[in-house]
Structures are given as structure tokens and as C-alpha cells.
Amino acid sequence: LQKLIHLLQATDDPLIQEQALITLSNSAAFSVNQDIIRNLDGLSVIGGMLSDCISKVKEKALNALNNLSMNIKNQEKIQVYIKEVCRNVESAPLNSDLQLAGLRLLTNMSVTNDYHQKMISSIPCFLHLLSEGTERTQIQVLKVLVNLSANPAMTRHLLRAQV
């Protein structure tokens, strides 16, 4: 895991980055690896890939963060990327794998009320995706919206959103 994280930092080759991110994502299926990746500062390395200009690299980084977000301590570190993830969802092509990867991560990050405030500005986008997206996109958006709607503090923001 340490070598993969160092490889991500050392290379500019998008194909190598994608493969390293896929491997880290698969490794994150095991809770012990989630802790190891966090302790090796892997979350910030993977999070840094969200600003990459290549959408496949961003998508793989989102998938890795999604798997890593199953851990509360990891969520505390990942939450700093929520606004960037929302921007990626908003700017991604409609129904793209990149958009779905971002929505899956937002679903996990919205299970608790802790980070809902960071998603408020994206509510109009979520509602737009609900009306314009394919069924896969709609289902993923609904998961985020259901999580947000479970928080009474979000009611006003959900009902006042301009669509």
C-alpha cells in the first residue's frame, strides 16, 4: 500500500495512476487496509487526484475514496473534499461514470448529518439530475437526497432550492 501511494505521488502517467487507484480502491474493501491507507496519508494523496484534468483518473480517485469512506475516521479526512466532489458532479457530463462515482461518494458521506452543510449549494444540481438523468443517475441522486432529507436542519434548504 505504501508503494502504491508513493507511485501515485511520483508518476504523471494517467494509466499508471488509474491502475494504482483501482488497486487502492480494491484494497479498501478490508477495514484494516482503510486504516493503513489513512495512516500513510493516502487519503490526501488520493484526494489530490480529484483536481486531475483527466476524468478517468478523477473517477478512479472517487471510487477509491468511496470505498475508504466506509470508515468514520476516514470520513473525517475525506470531508474536506466534499465541495470539490460536488463541483465534479456538477461539471461532469450527464450520466457519466465520473458523475456517478461522485454521487456514490456523496451518498456515503451523507449517511450521517455531519457533512450535510457542505452539500447545500449542490441541491439545485441534485434536483436537476433527478429530472434529467438516466435511471442509474436518478437512483444515486435519490440516495443523497433521502440522506439529506433525514436531517431536519436541511428541510428549509431542500424546499427553497431553485431548480
Side-chain angles (χ1 to χ4, degrees), residues 77-152:
K77 303 268 186 191
I78 293 170
Q79 59 95 15
V80 301
Y81 302 107
I82 289 176
K83 289 190 178 195
E84 187 171 3
V85 172
C86 288
R87 282 192 299 272
N88 279 321
V89 167
E90 291 174 28
S91 65
L94 183 63
N95 306 314
S96 64
D97 289 337
L98 174 60
Q99 192 171 62
L100 286 167
L103 288 169
R104 280 191 297 272
L105 175 56
L106 292 175
T107 299
N108 281 350
M109 294 300 292
S110 64
V111 169
T112 66
N113 297 352
D114 298 342
Y115 311 114
H116 287 181
Q117 294 291 70
K118 294 177 180 269
M119 299 179 205
I120 289 172
S121 64
S122 294
I123 291 173
C125 171
F126 299 153
L127 295 171
H128 171 75
L129 293 176
L130 188 58
S131 67
E132 298 297 321
T134 61
E135 187 176 321
R136 280 179 21 162
T137 301
Q138 290 172 335
I139 289 169
Q140 211 54 59
V141 168
L142 280 172
K143 290 178 181 181
V144 175
L145 289 171
V146 165
N147 288 345
L148 295 177
S149 70
N151 179 355

Side-chain angles (χ1 to χ4, degrees), residues 3-132:
K3 290 182 188 223
L4 281 170
I5 293 167
H6 286 304
L7 180 63
L8 269 179
Q9 291 174 305
T11 187
D12 290 330
D13 185 331
L15 293 175
I16 293 172
Q17 290 172 334
E18 279 184 61
Q19 289 305 309
L21 288 165
I22 289 169
T23 304
L24 285 168
S25 181
N26 291 340
S27 298
F30 303 98
S31 56
V32 67
N33 290 343
Q34 293 172 4
D35 293 333
I36 291 170
I37 292 169
R38 180 185 64 252
N39 292 333
L40 292 171
D41 200 32
L43 296 174
S44 65
V45 173
I46 296 168
M49 307 305 280
L50 295 178
S51 59
D52 198 286
C53 60
I54 298 176
S55 66
K56 279 291 181 190
V57 172
K58 281 189 220 184
E59 175 195 337
K60 302 304 184 227
L62 287 166
N63 288 337
L65 289 174
N66 182 48
N67 288 349
L68 289 160
S69 72
M70 303 306 280
N71 175 310
I72 296 296
K73 287 184 180 177
N74 285 353
Q75 281 191 2
E76 292 170 7
K77 303 268 186 191
I78 293 170
Q79 59 95 15
V80 301
Y81 302 107
I82 289 176
K83 289 190 178 195
E84 187 171 3
V85 172
C86 288
R87 282 192 299 272
N88 279 321
V89 167
E90 291 174 28
S91 65
L94 183 63
N95 306 314
S96 64
D97 289 337
L98 174 60
Q99 192 171 62
L100 286 167
L103 288 169
R104 280 191 297 272
L105 175 56
L106 292 175
T107 299
N108 281 350
M109 294 300 292
S110 64
V111 169
T112 66
N113 297 352
D114 298 342
Y115 311 114
H116 287 181
Q117 294 291 70
K118 294 177 180 269
M119 299 179 205
I120 289 172
S121 64
S122 294
I123 291 173
C125 171
F126 299 153
L127 295 171
H128 171 75
L129 293 176
L130 188 58
S131 67
E132 298 297 321

